[in-house]
């Protein structure tokens, strides 16, 4: 019966409906293309791409000529004052000094170093305090150099060397800063400019779905961030390293970029002007980046950091840089939920703004 | 006087302005009362081992040098060592001694520490008998805790710069700048009015922040006051320059961002790296906040000599930037 009814439909009417539907789809695509072109022009005139390119250049120069060259730390220097010459088999890492005064002067200048004073064949260690545990290690390490023994090399289980790690570490940090702080500000300036120019008022009277306006912008911001990420990684991690990490990296960049673009969109809808936004930006940049960097890169313990959503995104990005995928499906579920929720909030705020504009 | 009243009225209505001046104060309160971050573990070693592999005596011996983390399986141990956000040294039993495992991408300090650890374990009894003289000096890491407070102060002073720059850029965008040109007001009066609000509120913000972060005796407090006032003055002047050279909001924001990065990065790097080269030291003093940070850190660590020198450097900065702005303003008027 059901099939029979279906079969009896008027073919001309069905054709008309199909043509109407395809016309509507074609019209939406056409509108989306126009919106994308307009947004691209706005971003270009707002110097968005120029700033991103400038940042890329600056970061690449910093990584190549500063960070990679200087980011290493040697172990504590050990100085020995042994006037009777009782210590004969000391390690070449021990620096002999001629007097106690010289040793005091060196220790004062380099507070991390350790001094050994030998009297009657008995060594005594002198050092400026740092922390109890560190003091113990510095002292025992210095004494071990008096009787060095055979050369021992620790077992290695990783695939990177120090330079590769430094490059990935700093590239990850700069990409995070660029999306969270620098790009965030750029997006805001473009959105507030449109708000001031009354572009949103024009959109209120256009026969277009409201989500199309949001989609066009978010798509362009996301595309810019992805291109930026690819270029930054290519320039600083190298072509061979990029291939392996790129898929994971693009997924994490997409999550971060969508969250940030939607957040800035929400701010642009709620806040009056760019000056008000500058304050919100300062708070966001300060409270998002500072604790995340401290917890993720140092041994400083902050138990509450697991409740900080950006900590998990940053760790996802960092792991992606080292080719370690985030295996927890809850992370992706939360990320997708956050993006959907933010999109809903932004769309509601946008519709309210349209109503206000009349 | 009327101009000042107008400026104050505009500030009173601008919640952003009031809030931005109080932001560093808020951060100072957080730093002082709520966020006591434990920095003592920063330089310590971190070890990781598999449960049941080492004796409790060995684990206690390792805990004398740093923190010990226990993993349940060998795979977990390797994964923790390879985790890019950690600097763990893996420890395993090796006959009567121990062996160390590294990822291979660690700093030289960790590689050397891991390379000597089995020997330290062998010599643990003999080294325990050696006398150790711990020299009394303020904790090396405690000095770094002042950096948070000092950097908050630098940000507080920078607020005057941001305010002045944004104020002038807004006036340019809204066309108020053309009205200013026909008002019966000399460039000097305009300069004083424009610099005044940013300077006064930047000073206030920095002074309250300093009062929360530091407890100093009278003599050092006086030097700190001079440092803060001069820094706030220089920051306000730099804000005028940014406002003058920016043609739009975005360009202004880019300038502010660049200046802020330079203002924070140069003094931080030169302080932490302890630059000893005379030329590099001189170059770092070209950025006013270098003298500010150095002076604040000197005062916080109990000195005054460096702070005195830094006050003079900031005074020179103030005079040079002020004269330069007057010169540019004079030229601009002639051309107009």
């Amino acid at each position: 019966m059901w099939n029979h009814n279906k079969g009896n439909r008027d073919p001309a009417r069905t054709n008309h409906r199909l043509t109407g539907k395809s016309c509507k789809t074609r019209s939406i695509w056409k509108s989306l293309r126009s919106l994308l072109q307009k947004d691209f022009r706005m971003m270009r005139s707002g110097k968005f791409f120029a700033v991103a390119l400038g940042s890329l250049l600056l970061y690449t120069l910093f990584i190549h000529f500063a960070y990679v060259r200087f980011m290493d730390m040697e172990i504590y220097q050990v100085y020995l004052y042994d006037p009777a010459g009782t210590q004969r088999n000391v390690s070449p890492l021990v620096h002999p000094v001629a007097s106690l005064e010289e040793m005091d002067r060196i220790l004062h200048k380099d507070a991390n170093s350790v001094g050994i004073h030998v009297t009657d064949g008995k060594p005594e260690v002198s050092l400026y305090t740092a922390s109890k545990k560190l003091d113990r290690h510095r002292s025992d390490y210095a004494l071990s150099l008096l009787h060095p023994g055979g050369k021992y090399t620790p077992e290695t289980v990783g695939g990177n060397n120090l330079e590769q790690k430094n490059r990935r570490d700093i590239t990850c940090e700069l990409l995070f800063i660029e999306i969270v702080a620098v790009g965030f500000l750029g997006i805001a300036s473009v959105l507030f400019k449109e708000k001031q120019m009354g572009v949103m008022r024009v959109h209120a009277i256009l026969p277009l779905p409201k989500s199309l306006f949001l989609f066009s912008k978010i798509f362009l911001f996301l595309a810019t961030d992805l291109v930026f990420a690819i270029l930054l990684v290519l320039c600083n991690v190298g072509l061979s390293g990029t291939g392996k990490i790129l898929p994971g990296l693009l997924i994490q960049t997409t999550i971060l970029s969508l969250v940030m673009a939607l957040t800035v969109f929400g701010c642009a809808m709620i806040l009056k002007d760019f000056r008000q936004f500058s304050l919100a930006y300062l708070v966001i940049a300060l409270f998002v980046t500072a604790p995340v960097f401290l917890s993720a890169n140092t041994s400083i313990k902050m138990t509450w950091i697991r409740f900080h959503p950006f900590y998990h995104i940053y760790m996802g990005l960092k792991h992606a840089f080292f080719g370690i995928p985030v295996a927890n499906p809850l992370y992706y579920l939360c990320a997708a939920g956050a993006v959907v929720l933010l999109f809903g909030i932004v769309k509601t705020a946008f519709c309210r703004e349209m109503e206000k504009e009349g | 006087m009327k101009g000042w009243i107008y400026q104050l009225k505009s500030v009173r209505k601008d919640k952003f302005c009031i809030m931005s001046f109080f932001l560093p104060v808020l951060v100072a309160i957080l730093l002082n009362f709520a966020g006591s971050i434990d920095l003592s573990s920063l330089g310590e070693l971190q070890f990781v081992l598999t449960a049941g592999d080492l004796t409790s005596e060995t684990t206690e011996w390792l805990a004398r040098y740093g923190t010990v983390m226990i993993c349940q399986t060998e795979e977990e141990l390797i994964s923790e060592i390879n985790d890019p956000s950690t600097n763990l040294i893996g420890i395993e039993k090796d006959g009567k001694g121990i062996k160390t495992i590294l990822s291979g991408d660690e700093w030289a300090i960790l590689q050397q520490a891991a390379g000597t650890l089995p020997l330290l374990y062998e010599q643990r009894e003999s080294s325990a008998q050696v006398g150790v003289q711990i020299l009394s000096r303020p904790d090396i890491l405690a000095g770094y805790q002042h950096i948070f407070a000092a950097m908050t102060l630098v940000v507080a002073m920078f607020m005057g710069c941001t305010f002045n720059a944004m104020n002038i850029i807004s006036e340019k965008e809204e066309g108020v700048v053309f009205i200013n040109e026909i008002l019966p007001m000399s460039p000097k009066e305009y300069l004083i009015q424009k610099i005044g609000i940013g300077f006064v509120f930047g000073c206030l913000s920095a002074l309250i922040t300093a009062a929360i972060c530091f407890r100093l005796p009278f003599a050092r407090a006086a030097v700190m006051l001079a440092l803060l006032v001069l820094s706030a003055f220089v920051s306000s002047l730099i804000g005028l320059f940014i406002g003058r050279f920016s043609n739009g909001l975005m360009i202004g924001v880019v300038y502010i961002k660049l200046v802020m990065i330079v203002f924070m990065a140069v003094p931080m790097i030169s302080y932490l790296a302890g630059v000893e080269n005379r030329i590099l030291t001189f170059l770092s003093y070209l950025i006013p906040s270098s003298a500010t940070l150095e002076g604040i850190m000197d005062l916080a660590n109990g000195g005054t000599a460096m702070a005195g020198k830094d006050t003079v450097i900031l005074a020179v900065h103030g005079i040079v930037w002020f004269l330069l702005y007057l010169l540019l303003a004079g030229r601009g008027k002639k051309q107009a």
Side-chain angles (χ1 to χ4, degrees):
Chain A
M1 183 73 181
W2 179 253
N3 285 339
H4 176 74
N5 276 347
K6 236 182 174 180
N8 275 347
R9 272 183 182 170
D10 181 7
R13 219 171 140 187
T14 315
N15 262 346
H16 178 73
R17 253 188 220 168
L18 278 173
T19 322
K21 211 174 176 182
S22 68
C23 268
K24 205 177 169 188
T25 318
R26 213 178 297 153
S27 147
I28 285 177
W29 275 112
K30 207 177 160 189
S31 311
L32 183 63
R33 208 176 60 188
S34 312
L35 275 174
L36 283 169
Q37 279 173 348
K38 184 266 301 173
D39 284 335
F40 184 81
R41 279 199 298 272
M42 281 296 290
M43 284 166 81
R44 202 178 50 190
S45 72
K47 304 211 168 42
F48 187 86
F49 300 117
V51 172
L53 205 67
S55 299
L56 178 72
L57 193 70
L58 196 73
Y59 296 156
T60 306
L61 289 174
F62 170 70
I63 294 171
H64 280 270
F65 297 106
Y67 192 86
V68 175
R69 288 186 183 193
F70 302 112
M71 216 52 195
D72 197 3
M73 194 179 173
E74 290 295 322
I75 203 160
Y76 348 104
Q77 300 295 315
V78 177
Y79 298 92
L80 173 70
Y81 177 56
D82 182 15
T86 53
Q87 307 295 317
R88 285 176 190 164
N89 297 321
V90 297
S91 157
L93 293 168
V94 176
H95 308 286
V97 289
S99 65
L100 270 179
E101 289 73 32
E102 189 188 347
M103 194 163 83
D104 287 346
R105 206 170 45 246
I106 294 170
L107 290 186
H108 191 263
K109 204 174 170 189
D110 175 11
N112 270 330
S113 60
V114 185
I116 304 173
H117 173 202
V118 184
T119 41
D120 302 330
K122 281 186 181 175
E124 194 185 292
V125 176
S126 304
L127 50 89
Y128 281 109
T129 186
S131 76
K132 262 188 186 174
K133 291 182 177 184
L134 206 57
D135 291 348
R136 268 188 218 125
H137 183 258
R138 286 158 70 204
S139 157
D140 290 355
Y141 165 78
L143 288 169
S144 76
L145 295 184
L146 296 182
H147 312 284
K151 185 162 168 57
Y152 172 78
T153 312
E155 189 184 327
T156 308
V157 289
N160 295 320
N161 58 30
L162 179 62
E163 192 190 328
Q164 285 167 329
K165 187 189 184 236
N166 277 344
R167 279 180 181 279
R168 284 165 198 239
D169 266 343
I170 190 66
T171 311
C172 170
E173 277 162 33
L174 291 175
L175 179 63
F176 187 77
I177 289 175
E178 175 63 29
I179 296 174
V180 171
V182 184
F184 190 64
L185 205 61
I187 296 172
S189 75
V190 171
L191 289 174
F192 277 107
K193 198 172 180 184
E194 284 205 357
K195 204 176 171 182
Q196 273 178 351
M197 285 164 71
V199 177
M200 290 186 186
R201 206 174 294 173
V202 175
H203 277 278
I205 53 159
L206 283 179
L208 286 174
K210 300 286 176 273
S211 49
L212 211 61
F213 179 78
L214 299 181
F215 179 79
S216 136
K217 287 216 170 347
I218 303 291
F219 175 78
L220 270 182
F221 294 143
L222 174 65
T224 315
D225 282 343
L226 290 177
V227 171
F228 183 86
I230 294 169
L231 290 176
L232 189 71
V233 176
L234 269 175
C235 293
N236 298 297
V237 176
L239 194 63
S240 57
T242 306
K244 288 176 201 160
I245 61 172
L246 202 59
L249 184 73
L250 290 181
I251 293 170
Q252 300 304 328
T253 309
T254 304
I255 294 171
L256 182 63
S257 174
L258 285 176
V259 169
M260 290 319 293
L262 287 165
T263 308
V264 73
F265 222 116
C267 288
M269 292 300 119
I270 296 161
L271 299 172
K272 205 180 108 197
D273 55 21
F274 193 74
R275 291 177 71 194
Q276 278 193 0
F277 172 79
S278 311
L279 182 70
Y281 162 74
L282 206 66
V283 175
I284 290 169
L286 201 71
F287 290 102
V288 166
T289 52
V292 168
F293 281 153
L294 271 177
S295 282
N297 299 319
T298 68
S299 55
I300 292 171
K301 312 248 175 324
M302 286 187 271
T303 44
W304 53 267
I305 200 73
R306 62 200 153 110
F307 301 111
H308 196 312
F310 283 92
Y311 173 72
H312 299 284
I313 301 179
Y314 177 77
M315 289 311 287
L317 191 68
K318 185 153 188 165
H319 282 133
F321 263 91
F322 286 86
I324 307 165
V326 181
N328 192 355
L330 191 67
Y331 167 75
Y332 295 104
L333 276 175
C334 288
V339 169
V340 171
L341 185 73
L342 279 170
F343 191 84
I345 293 170
V346 167
K347 200 182 163 190
T348 315
F350 183 65
C351 290
R352 273 193 194 167
E353 189 70 20
M354 298 284 101
E355 281 165 20
K356 255 195 250 170
E357 299 283 359
Chain B
M1 193 63 199
K2 260 188 181 177
W4 270 81
I5 293 167
Y6 286 133
Q7 295 283 344
L8 276 171
K9 267 186 184 174
S10 93
V11 171
R12 193 169 56 87
K13 282 177 189 167
D14 194 343
K15 286 189 188 82
F16 159 74
C17 178
I18 294 167
M19 282 169 75
S20 66
F21 282 126
F22 282 100
L23 186 70
V25 179
L26 181 77
V27 175
I29 293 169
L30 284 176
L31 269 179
N32 215 31
F33 301 112
S36 53
I37 301 164
D38 181 20
L39 288 177
S40 63
S41 63
L42 255 182
E44 285 174 5
L45 299 172
Q46 294 168 285
F47 306 106
V48 60
L49 40 107
T50 320
D53 183 37
L54 297 173
T55 61
S56 59
E57 185 215 345
T58 314
T59 313
E60 275 169 33
W61 177 78
L62 284 170
R64 290 173 71 244
Y65 294 145
T67 43
V68 179
M69 183 183 165
I70 312 274
C71 288
Q72 294 309 314
T73 60
E74 176 94 13
E75 290 74 37
E76 204 186 321
L77 177 97
I78 303 293
S79 148
E80 286 295 340
I81 295 168
N82 279 332
D83 190 323
S85 59
T86 63
N87 280 313
L88 291 165
I89 300 174
I91 310 287
E92 272 186 359
K93 199 172 150 188
D94 186 26
K96 282 184 181 175
I98 54 166
K99 68 171 183 175
T100 49
I101 308 166
L102 286 177
S103 171
D105 54 13
E106 291 83 358
W107 284 357
I109 184 170
L110 278 177
Q111 297 202 357
Q112 279 168 284
T116 47
L117 209 64
L119 185 66
L120 259 64
Y121 186 71
E122 271 175 37
Q123 297 175 351
R124 65 190 183 282
E125 276 165 20
S126 59
S127 61
Q129 291 159 10
V130 175
V132 180
Q133 190 195 1
I134 305 283
L135 300 169
S136 56
R137 184 180 142 152
D139 190 347
I140 297 166
L141 294 172
Y144 289 102
Q145 277 177 326
H146 291 307
I147 282 187
F148 286 110
M151 288 315 288
T152 312
L153 270 175
V154 171
V155 173
M157 286 169 292
F158 197 79
M159 284 301 156
C161 166
T162 311
F163 173 77
N164 280 347
M166 294 299 262
N167 191 358
I168 294 174
I169 295 166
S170 306
E171 281 192 359
K172 271 185 180 176
E173 290 211 324
E174 287 159 16
V176 180
V177 74
F178 298 116
I179 298 167
N180 283 340
E181 277 176 15
I182 54 157
L183 283 178
M185 187 168 52
S186 69
K188 205 173 160 189
E189 276 175 311
Y190 175 79
L191 180 65
I192 289 167
Q193 279 181 26
K194 277 282 157 248
I195 209 173
I197 299 296
F199 169 62
V200 169
F201 282 88
C203 264
L204 267 177
S205 173
L207 287 176
I208 298 169
T209 310
I212 294 167
C213 290
F214 300 105
R215 305 275 177 277
L216 299 174
F218 181 76
R220 278 193 277 150
V223 183
M224 176 75 93
L225 180 73
L227 263 177
L228 297 185
V229 170
L230 285 168
S231 305
F233 180 69
V234 176
S235 293
S236 307
L237 275 170
I238 291 169
L240 289 192
F241 276 94
I242 294 174
R244 190 179 172 86
F245 292 116
S246 307
N247 288 324
L249 201 61
M250 187 62 192
I251 299 288
V253 168
V254 171
Y255 284 156
I256 289 174
K257 208 164 63 185
L258 284 176
V259 172
M260 195 163 183
I261 289 170
V262 172
F263 252 60
M264 292 173 90
V266 173
M268 191 89 156
I269 291 168
S270 61
Y271 183 80
L272 290 177
V275 177
E276 282 172 15
N277 185 307
R278 276 188 177 186
I279 299 166
L280 286 178
T281 312
F282 174 76
L283 287 175
S284 77
Y285 284 136
L286 290 178
I287 308 298
S289 55
S290 292
T292 310
L293 185 84
E294 192 185 68
I296 293 168
M297 292 303 288
D298 186 38
L299 290 170
N301 292 327
T304 46
M306 295 272 258
K309 182 191 77 181
D310 295 324
T311 312
V312 175
I313 292 171
L314 282 168
V316 173
H317 265 292
I319 294 166
V320 171
W321 288 99
F322 187 74
L323 291 176
L324 193 67
Y325 190 84
L326 278 183
L327 190 78
L328 282 173
R331 272 191 187 177
K333 211 177 177 189
K334 268 181 196 172
Q335 278 172 3

